Amino acid sequence: MQIKKILNEEEIEKIKSMIQKNYGTIPEIEKAFLTSDDRIWLTSKDINFSIFDILKRCYRIGIYFGRLKRNDKIKLSMEGAIIVGKNATRNVALVDDENAMKFLRGEDINEYEEMECEKHNFIIVKRGNDTIGVGILRDGYIENLVPKARRINF
Amino acid sequence: MLLKSGAYNNVFKKRLLEIASDAEDIFTVTPKKSIRINTLKAEKEEIVKKLSDYIIEEMPWYEHGLWVRDEISKTIEHHLGYFYIQEAASMLSAIVLSPSKHEFIVDMCAAPGSKTTQMAMMMDGEGVIIANDVNSKRIKALAHNVQRGGAKNVIITNYDARYMPAMEADKILLDAPCTASGKIMYENVQKKWNYNRIRIMSRKQKQLMKTAYRLLRKEGEMVYSTCSLEPEENEEVIDFAIRELGMETLPFKIEGIKMREAITSWREKEFDDSIKNCRRVWPQDNGTEGFFICKLKKF
């Protein structure tokens, strides 16, 4: 795993503000870093990055939060969406059980209730209180962004 | 002596009967399905409410453990990481190690990550866990489970645990690779059982114990556990840690589960008397898989 940059407080604040702008909530981020593919990873504040001078065979650090996109947007991972989705107030789509299953199988869905959603923008998809992933709101449907590895097969 | 497949039928039973007179009862046990709730993702009450149709009863020895129906794996809650399907006895290792927030923990043989994510939860996502595994295929499963569990205090490394670089851990979990004879009720384990594997594993476990000692800070504590019932993989390894490395066993108690004392002699071998502090979990006592667990301290 190649760390491109350990984010300082200012950079973390910038990420928080991007999230707030899109979802109306400020997530708790203590420590984060970027990899070369612009992915944001969250770690415990107790992780001291000097340990990687010793740990050369490091496969993964912390959890994948999301990927920086153009126009100050972040494509959230499933866990990123769960962290943000808990208190998100806009760009959220609510679905019922049947459509939640469809969404988690990787299908686009066209039955949902919008909470201040902006078209052609990333939205968090929720079933009740449960965040089930992210999508992009298109004209009359939600484009599915659940990665293949996180889709259900039942 | 290399025994061919199926040898467990005669030799395994005979060996176990030397340790426990009711050992044959193992074959009548079908371990119950169990889950561990993941409070890193949601509150316990909320998860229990969502899963009420699947829950049979709460586990008497662990507040986050539940006995459940089989179909629970096919639920959205499982997919979202609200719980982890984990064998009941295997929850004991982390309970006994009892990691605290801000501690530095090394989980030497971590894949697929049930105990790693359990410890991450117990630490409330704080502190640091180095979750190591040698197997590159299993490490992918570990990474998937750490991500799904939302365990941001985990660093995954890919070393042969015997050759991990020097560090000073507060606590170590060595859930060692083993013959898995505590799962002998399953046919695939029966097919693999042979005496030669026990000797190979025992040798490897002692090497791993040596490394654990090296990675642990002075006064640090560790848990050694296996899902094997073989004395060579359990008491003999602890005896090695006491005699060769100068470690000491620590007593522990968990309410609500029946555990038996470890044995202090095996055939021609006499083990250190403090091995009595180690515990064996027999499948017939609690409806779980078989397990061995020991807490040790470095001085």
Side-chain angles (χ1 to χ4, degrees), chain B residues 235 238-239 242-243 249 263-264 270-276:
Chain B
E235 287 88 348
I238 303 303
D239 191 62
I242 296 167
R243 292 182 202 270
T249 62
I263 56 171
T264 50
E270 288 292 326
F271 300 132
D272 189 278
D273 202 47
S274 72
I275 282 179
K276 277 183 185 161

Side-chain angles (χ1 to χ4, degrees), chain B residues 107-200:
Chain B
D107 185 354
M108 290 175 66
C109 310
S114 59
K115 299 167 192 81
T116 306
T117 51
Q118 183 184 359
M119 291 193 290
M121 179 187 87
M122 293 165 84
M123 297 163 79
D124 206 15
E126 296 183 23
V128 183
I129 302 174
I130 307 286
N132 178 72
D133 208 274
V134 64
N135 185 313
S136 52
K137 272 187 190 163
R138 282 165 57 87
I139 219 163
K140 283 181 186 160
L142 172 62
H144 177 81
N145 287 324
V146 165
Q147 174 75 17
R148 194 165 60 106
K152 63 182 169 39
N153 56 343
V154 175
I155 297 169
I156 299 174
T157 60
N158 183 207
Y159 290 96
D160 179 329
R162 292 172 291 184
Y163 311 112
M164 285 182 80
M167 54 188 99
E168 289 212 321
D170 296 315
K171 287 178 180 168
I172 288 182
L173 174 60
L174 174 51
D175 185 53
C178 65
T179 57
S181 62
K183 304 177 185 199
I184 201 76
M185 62 288 276
Y186 303 118
E187 206 184 327
N188 60 332
V189 180
Q190 291 171 7
K191 279 181 185 166
K192 277 192 206 164
W193 192 92
N194 68 61
Y195 182 71
N196 202 37
R197 276 191 75 224
I198 297 173
R199 292 312 315 166
I200 292 167

Side-chain angles (χ1 to χ4, degrees), chain B residues 18 20 29 44 66 78 109 113 116 120 164 169 176 193 212 249 258 265:
Chain B
E18 288 179 46
V29 176
K44 181 187 173 184
L66 297 165
H78 181 226
C109 310
T116 306
M164 285 182 80
W193 192 92
T249 62
K258 184 176 174 188
S265 65

